[in-house]
Amino acid sequence: MTIPIQLAIQGGGAKITHLIAALHAVQDLEREGLLRVTRIAGTSAGAIAGALYAAGVDMQRACDTFAFRRAELLRAFSPTSASLRAVWKLVTRQPFWDSRPLRRVLASLLASCATLGDLRIPLVIVAADLTNLQPRVYDDPGEPLISSLMDSAGIPFFFRTALPPAHGDHRVLVDGGVCENVPSDKLAYNAEDGEVPASRSVRRGMARRSPAISTSRRRSSKRPSTPRCCARSSPSA
């Protein structure tokens, strides 16, 4: 029997390889017909990993791509004269890191998906709107995929800063982990969309296939008072 499930994937840039590894295990189970992922919600690195899965990208290929282009990603911030460079960027309101290498990697992996509507699995992406002090949720099929992911992964100061007033856009969108690191409330709590894997100290079932995921069965269609669903990486950053 194929079990429908939903995934809420936490943020944490240093954990993205662990998140991809966990999703690799889920992908294997889905290919074997044991699981069917119906909906994904993600924040920051979790949104990136979730988008790759929702697009049908092979998780091994995603892992290999990040490993192969690691040097390119690390060159986004040169260590040469790092202290003086950091002070200058703070004064001129520039982010410490160049986000273009990450955008290029995502563009290569998600070349066939320009918008959220192009994904094979519905995806909800969460960023933080510091101007209005609330989450910025991307769930409309017409939303541009990569731009939404970059907003969700816009770590303050490192990838994203407040723009000068002359820019004309006073809204500051940064990493979704600022307001909602595990966007579990963006999932649909009903029997049709399936179970929600939850992070638990006791691992069983499909968790044996991946140390990063364990399961908690919820038969009721009522929304719980305290959502507890995530695809979490057990190693700490």
Side-chain angles (χ1 to χ4, degrees):
M1 181 182 71
T2 300
I3 301 174
I5 65 169
Q6 303 172 78
L7 299 175
I9 311 178
Q10 70 172 20
K15 300 177 180 178
I16 188 166
T17 55
H18 300 299
L19 295 173
I20 290 176
L23 289 176
H24 191 183
V26 175
Q27 193 172 64
D28 285 345
L29 291 172
E30 189 165 21
R31 287 170 175 171
E32 293 172 14
L34 300 176
L35 296 177
R36 178 173 59 86
V37 178
T38 62
R39 184 184 302 268
I40 300 173
T43 296
S44 192
I48 292 174
L52 294 172
Y53 192 96
V57 175
D58 182 82
M59 290 295 102
Q60 185 60 57
R61 177 194 168 211
C63 186
D64 292 343
T65 298
F66 277 103
F68 180 74
R69 303 182 70 167
R70 180 174 180 270
E72 176 186 350
L73 293 170
L74 291 178
R75 281 197 301 269
F77 179 62
S78 172
T80 306
S81 304
S83 297
L84 292 177
R85 188 188 300 271
V87 171
W88 171 252
K89 289 191 173 184
L90 277 175
V91 172
T92 57
R93 297 189 180 186
Q94 299 179 57
F96 293 156
W97 291 346
D98 184 354
S99 63
R100 288 175 295 182
L102 176 58
R103 182 182 286 271
R104 286 195 294 266
V105 171
L106 294 179
S108 67
L109 289 169
L110 298 168
S112 62
C113 299
T115 67
L116 268 66
D118 294 328
L119 299 170
R120 69 179 185 88
I121 299 173
L123 174 69
V124 179
I125 299 171
V126 178
D129 183 346
L130 296 187
T131 303
N132 298 307
L133 301 179
Q134 63 185 10
R136 169 63 167 97
V137 179
Y138 299 94
D139 57 2
D140 188 280
E143 297 277 12
L145 178 58
I146 293 180
S147 294
S148 301
L149 292 174
M150 297 304 295
D151 285 346
S152 182
I155 303 173
F157 297 109
F158 289 93
F159 281 132
R160 190 65 56 87
T161 60
L163 296 172
H167 187 273
D169 185 357
H170 302 293
R171 186 175 62 171
V172 181
L173 296 175
V174 298
D175 194 295
V178 171
C179 64
E180 195 169 2
N181 199 44
V182 183
S184 56
D185 64 337
K186 303 302 183 291
L187 298 174
Y189 287 87
N190 56 62
E192 181 180 351
D193 286 302
E195 300 180 356
V196 179
S199 177
R200 304 286 291 178
S201 58
V202 179
R203 289 169 165 77
R204 63 183 184 277
M206 77 170 180
R208 296 171 184 170
R209 298 293 300 275
S210 169
I213 297 179
S214 56
T215 58
S216 174
R217 292 179 179 270
R218 183 182 295 114
R219 295 301 183 187
S220 172
S221 61
K222 295 181 179 179
R223 182 172 176 170
S225 57
T226 305
R228 49 173 188 165
C229 43
C230 63
R232 186 188 299 271
S233 167
S234 54
S236 58

